[in-house]
Amino acid sequence: MFTKELYQYFIKKETPFYYYDMELLRESLEKLKQASGKYNYEVHYAIKANANDYILEMIKNFGFGADCVSGNEVKKAVETGISPEKIVFSGVGKSDNEILYAIDKSIFSFNSESIEEIEVINEWGNKKHKIVPVSLRLNPDIDAITHKYLTTGLPENKFGIPLQFLDNVIQNVQQMENIKLVGIHFHIGSQIRELSPYIELCEKVNSIQDVLFEKYKIIPDHINLGGGLGINYEDPDSELIPDFNNFFGTIHQHLKLRKNQKIHFELGRSVVGQVGSLISRVLYIKKGLNKNFMILDAGMTDLIRPALYGAQHKIQNISKPEAQIINYKYDVVGPVCESSDSFDDNVMLPMTSRGDLVAIRSTGAYGEIMVSQYTLRDKPGTLYSDKIKFDKSIPKKSNLK
Ligand code: LLP
């Protein structure tokens, strides 16, 4: 991924910065398009994973829709040129302003998670003289076999309508004049590496469909299975593009559809995760009592996943790509005044010195978008593989004089 030429380019740049491999993004999108197109599945890219303009532009050009979880994401999708007919709006607590904005834009569907919110959408629909399309986000009680902060389909999670309330919600919604029930929606979690939770989800959906039809003669126009497909963080190079064929093939095999029903997905991480790397410079190798601390110029403000979830990303010293001996152990940490500002402990790397460049891999999803300016740190810069020839200015210059 990092050629000598690229390294020579990086070394002259101010760090830290996110580097995006746009060829890999293109290839991933091509594979995704092919694999989903085979079954006529609709993919709404989950903007929350990465809302970088240049990346969104390419995703839009492939014709994918958008999954948004805030009014500003809906706005971003619209401004990017994604047709409102391809925009879905999820989230457990949409404000009145956000609801109003999305109604005005006539988006494809609100994914709603409570009768309380649907009542508010109905009121706004009434005031605006619009029939608003709504899908019910149901909580299917499925263990997604992932990190506890990344699971969303269990009863203890705040997300979704419990299946036990389904009757009550349907009966209520049927009374609402400005709501059109168009679909059912699920999102069971993120970074899901096993397909078994999805098989379980398909089986649940099959039985929910039976109930909806037998009791209410309802056949939802669409079924949205959310996102969640995981990526290989341990060994990114062995799996730069997730196996979309296997994913969609498994769904196709287990989900029983009724006539004219369409399946939708909201994939985020699997689309952009492997495309980004955070490039950082080693500030110091600090000797501890019984540890070696590798202090980087990137910290938790640039990539919060390790501090927030204990997430592990592959860390590579790209200044020593050909080093034969990898026998030094480092705790790789950031410069922020927080003990949780650590990327990983006991990382085996070649002997590293001040000034070396380090790549923190698989940071295309939930990396740049979660940047903060805690301790008034500057935001990291960005570099795109296909702009390198032309771009002389980025990354940013330090404000310090
Ligand atoms: N749809 C809904 C309703 C979601 O809440 C999410 C992610 C997605 C789709 C996209 O899921 P994906 O395909 O990316 O797994 N910040 C965390 C991940 C939080 C995911 C939240 N929801 C992380 O860094 O791992």
Side-chain angles (χ1 to χ4, degrees):
M1 184 171 255
F2 306 110
T3 58
K4 260 197 180 134
E5 205 182 12
L6 191 57
Y7 174 73
Q8 291 307 329
Y9 189 84
F10 283 177
I11 198 82
K12 290 186 216 123
K13 293 290 172 189
E14 186 130 357
T15 48
F17 60 86
Y18 276 94
Y19 168 70
Y20 292 112
D21 184 336
M22 299 305 285
E23 285 78 20
L24 179 59
L25 178 60
R26 180 180 301 284
E27 218 182 300
S28 303
L29 293 169
E30 270 160 13
K31 292 250 164 76
L32 178 61
K33 188 103 206 157
Q34 247 170 25
S36 56
K38 194 166 160 197
Y39 307 108
N40 209 12
Y41 291 165
E42 283 289 327
V43 177
H44 306 261
Y45 165 67
I47 290 195
K48 69 170 76 60
N50 189 320
N52 177 305
D53 287 343
Y54 198 50
I55 287 181
L56 280 185
E57 181 71 19
M58 189 183 279
I59 292 174
K60 177 207 72 181
N61 288 340
F62 269 82
F64 294 112
D67 164 50
C68 306
V69 288
S70 71
N72 284 345
E73 283 191 356
V74 176
K75 193 157 175 250
K76 184 83 181 174
V78 171
E79 284 170 3
T80 302
I82 295 174
S83 157
E85 286 151 44
K86 292 182 178 175
I87 296 177
V88 295
F89 186 10
S90 311
V92 69
K94 303 176 190 77
S95 72
D96 289 49
N97 274 344
E98 291 177 315
I99 291 171
L100 204 52
Y101 178 78
I103 290 179
D104 275 345
K105 292 291 163 197
S106 303
I107 62 164
F108 175 69
S109 171
F110 282 77
N111 293 334
S112 259
E113 316 196 11
S114 67
I115 191 66
E116 292 81 0
E117 185 184 87
I118 302 173
E119 276 164 10
V120 173
I121 297 175
N122 185 47
E123 280 167 28
W124 281 117
N126 187 278
K127 283 187 194 139
K128 289 275 164 183
H129 310 292
K130 278 197 171 176
I131 308 289
V132 186
V134 165
S135 304
L136 300 179
R137 173 165 176 182
L138 304 174
N139 184 324
D141 188 5
I142 289 175
D143 182 358
I145 321 177
T146 183
H147 190 284
K148 85 172 167 55
Y149 286 176
L150 304 184
T151 184
T152 50
L154 287 173
E156 64 257 37
N157 302 130
K158 67 179 174 183
F159 300 103
I161 298 167
L163 293 179
Q164 294 80 345
F165 296 177
L166 187 57
D167 279 312
N168 188 273
V169 170
I170 298 268
Q171 285 157 17
N172 265 297
V173 170
Q174 283 181 331
Q175 308 299 317
M176 297 184 190
E177 285 185 359
N178 292 78
I179 298 290
K180 182 173 185 224
L181 196 60
V182 292
I184 47 176
H185 171 236
F186 305 83
H187 173 71
I188 56 173
S190 196
Q191 183 52 13
I192 304 170
R193 291 284 283 160
E194 310 273 334
L195 287 180
S196 56
Y198 286 105
I199 296 175
E200 206 186 320
L201 176 60
C202 289
E203 284 159 3
K204 279 259 163 88
V205 174
N206 293 341
S207 57
I208 293 168
Q209 289 240 72
D210 288 345
V211 172
L212 285 179
F213 188 70
E214 278 155 28
K215 276 196 172 165
Y216 304 102
K217 296 282 170 283
I218 291 180
I219 302 178
D221 294 348
H222 74 261
I223 296 167
N224 183 333
L225 298 182
L229 181 64
I231 60 169
N232 189 337
Y233 281 101
E234 301 80 45
D235 186 11
D237 289 318
S238 70
E239 207 181 327
L240 284 172
I241 301 178
D243 193 345
F244 294 122
N245 274 319
N246 192 23
F247 176 65
F248 292 123
T250 304
I251 303 284
H252 177 74
Q253 197 188 334
H254 291 91
L255 196 63
K256 284 194 227 138
L257 286 188
R258 289 162 200 248
K259 224 176 150 203
N260 295 329
Q261 278 188 320
K262 207 142 191 216
I263 307 299
H264 295 243
F265 292 89
E266 302 165 347
L267 298 175
R269 189 190 315 264
S270 52
V271 183
V272 291
Q274 300 292 27
V275 167
S277 295
L278 178 61
I279 309 295
S280 174
R281 206 171 243 112
V282 177
L283 289 177
Y284 303 104
I285 301 293
K286 172 177 166 172
K287 276 221 169 310
L289 211 48
N290 41 31
K291 276 177 176 284
N292 283 320
F293 295 102
M294 182 188 293
I295 305 176
L296 303 183
D297 65 359
M300 66 194 290
T301 52
D302 306 294
L303 176 69
I304 202 173
R305 302 193 70 254
L308 196 57
Y309 315 111
Q312 286 177 308
H313 289 254
K314 187 177 163 111
I315 299 173
Q316 278 174 273
N317 178 333
I318 57 171
S319 296
K320 309 269 165 61
E322 273 123 38
Q324 299 294 316
I325 319 163
I326 298 188
N327 59 351
Y328 281 80
K329 220 190 239 178
Y330 296 100
D331 279 16
V332 182
V333 302
V336 179
C337 302
E338 290 271 352
S339 290
S340 58
D341 184 28
S342 169
F343 290 110
D344 210 349
D345 296 340
N346 299 316
V347 185
M348 296 304 295
L349 287 166
M351 189 169 79
T352 299
S353 353
R354 170 173 163 82
D356 282 1
L357 288 189
V358 158
I360 307 181
R361 301 286 306 275
S362 316
T363 49
Y366 307 110
E368 191 188 349
I369 193 76
M370 293 179 85
V371 161
S372 82
Q373 290 196 282
Y374 177 43
T375 70
L376 297 185
R377 278 169 56 78
D378 289 329
K379 290 183 180 175
T382 39
L383 271 184
Y384 308 94
S385 59
D386 60 349
K387 276 194 179 181
I388 279 186
K389 291 178 259 8
F390 318 109
D391 197 332
K392 298 196 174 76
S393 61
I394 42 178
K396 46 107 195 122
K397 285 269 169 284
S398 167
N399 292 325
L400 299 178
K401 298 242 159 58

